[in-house]
Amino acid sequence: MEIDVTNEKKKAIDFIVNSSSLSELIKTETELLGRNGLINSLLKQLKNIIPEKRKTVGININALKQEVITLINQKKQLLSQKIDDKNIDVTMPGTSIKTGTLHPITIAITEISSIFSKLGFIRMSYPEVEWEYLAFDTLNMPKTHPARDDFETTFVNGEPHPTYGKMILTPHTSSGQIREMWRLKKPPIRMINIGKCYRPNWDATHTPMFHQFEGLCVDTDINITHLKGALDYFAKEYFGENTQTRLRPHHFQFTEPSFEVDISCTMCQGTGILRQSRDSGTSQDDLKVKCKICKSGWLELGGTGMVHPNVLISGGIDPIKYSGWAFGFGIERVIMMKYGVDDIRNYYSGDMRFLSQF
Ligand code: DAH
């Protein structure tokens, strides 16, 4: 007996091609691949074929089977697409596309730059790798200052510069003050320098890389009232219109006098009391719960002061003719204060549940 596999293949293809609906195709599938279908009946006839030819015919029937399976699957896809095309439900909600969000640090940088630009400050970005000379010497910091230790500052391997000394990862944005004085050569200067800074610390309020924004204003007759005015304006614009600022005496090498700036707590509006407790209590005090964010009504923003005459001299500016103020605040820190974030490491976790909230 002979089996004409080529002829059987033609028949099978005809069947598939002529199935014009899904239900017809399923019937065809049973007729071709079912227990009593064409392929199985061909396989059953194999035993009647002369032994020399049996192997080749068997191989051909199996190849036909694979081809039929592929063709049926392709046709199934085609027919179900047709159904979809015909039955589009235009009232169904579309599949939503996940959109990304700007990182909270990027958002804060944009907001801060925009607030200071309204006061006439120009946004600058200075190098992330800095010379020791600019980061310390020109800022009136003695060679023995502890910030110059290698557990406070990260040094970069390489030949030291004959004048500028060793290369370091910028530990603060304050060296931008000197770079800006060098760039402009002459006041008026109104700069906001925003950049990455590096210090080897890692805990709930410190990451080894963080961001600072440094304000610098130098002109004739600049005094502390201008500083206080600019800080008040920033605090109200960024944290909310009821925010108050206060200056506390402090010490920095590059400013004289120096201060730390506090803002009234954004969570308890400077009262130090977060809410009245509903727990039973007898005296009025028992009903008050201390604000967990500030404990005292004030939050520390960062350092500021009137630019030290030695710093103006390093920048090539005459301290008799000109005076100025400066400040340096942490970006991660101001966002934490604004929203009550309690762990700085969240910013760098890559966790979208946190990052998409801003
Ligand atoms: N550079 C200081 C730091 O990183 C912050 C600072 C304090 C900047 C006082 C200033 C300033 O401009 O006047 O801790």
Side-chain angles (χ1 to χ4, degrees), residues 1-9 38-66:
M1 173 190 181
E2 292 265 337
I3 297 180
D4 186 349
V5 180
T6 318
N7 194 35
E8 298 298 335
K9 183 173 164 178
L38 175 80
I39 302 286
N40 267 348
S41 77
L42 292 177
L43 288 171
K44 274 181 208 154
Q45 290 170 41
L46 263 183
K47 61 177 187 299
N48 306 324
I49 291 182
I50 47 164
E52 302 86 76
K53 285 196 176 171
R54 200 176 292 158
K55 192 175 167 194
T56 328
V57 178
I59 290 174
N60 289 342
I61 297 174
N62 273 320
L64 173 63
K65 183 177 175 179
Q66 287 314 316

Side-chain angles (χ1 to χ4, degrees), residues 139 171-174 177 199 210 212-215 252 254-255 258-259 302-307 325-329:
L139 292 173
H172 56 178
T173 42
S174 300
Q177 292 187 28
R199 288 180 207 170
F210 59 102
Q212 276 190 342
F213 58 114
E214 183 93 12
F252 295 104
F254 27 88
T255 38
S258 302
F259 308 96
T304 187
M306 299 305 291
V307 181
W325 53 254
F327 67 76
F329 304 150

Side-chain angles (χ1 to χ4, degrees), residues 117-230:
S117 79
K118 289 182 205 153
L119 295 179
F121 282 63
I122 286 174
R123 158 97 197 265
M124 294 304 296
S125 292
Y126 282 117
E128 264 176 77
V129 179
E130 185 54 284
W131 297 108
E132 219 186 345
Y133 179 72
L134 271 114
F136 301 125
D137 299 66
T138 56
L139 292 173
N140 197 36
M141 290 169 83
K143 290 274 184 233
T144 51
H145 197 281
R148 302 177 114 159
D149 278 338
D150 55 9
F151 55 82
E152 284 286 342
T153 292
T154 308
F155 287 83
V156 176
N157 282 340
E159 271 300 299
H161 186 279
T163 318
Y164 299 151
K166 291 181 191 153
M167 242 187 225
I168 55 176
L169 298 185
T170 308
H172 56 178
T173 42
S174 300
S175 51
Q177 292 187 28
I178 302 294
R179 288 189 175 268
E180 186 67 354
M181 291 181 209
W182 286 359
R183 184 180 78 90
L184 290 177
K185 300 201 172 66
K186 204 171 161 294
I189 299 173
R190 282 180 182 77
M191 168 203 78
I192 188 89
N193 170 31
I194 308 185
K196 291 190 168 81
C197 301
Y198 298 83
R199 288 180 207 170
N201 296 320
W202 180 253
D203 60 33
T205 50
H206 299 90
T207 45
M209 186 283 294
F210 59 102
H211 297 75
Q212 276 190 342
F213 58 114
E214 183 93 12
L216 174 70
C217 173
V218 185
D219 208 339
T220 46
D221 301 323
I222 293 290
N223 62 48
I224 296 179
T225 61
H226 302 125
L227 166 62
K228 182 76 163 79

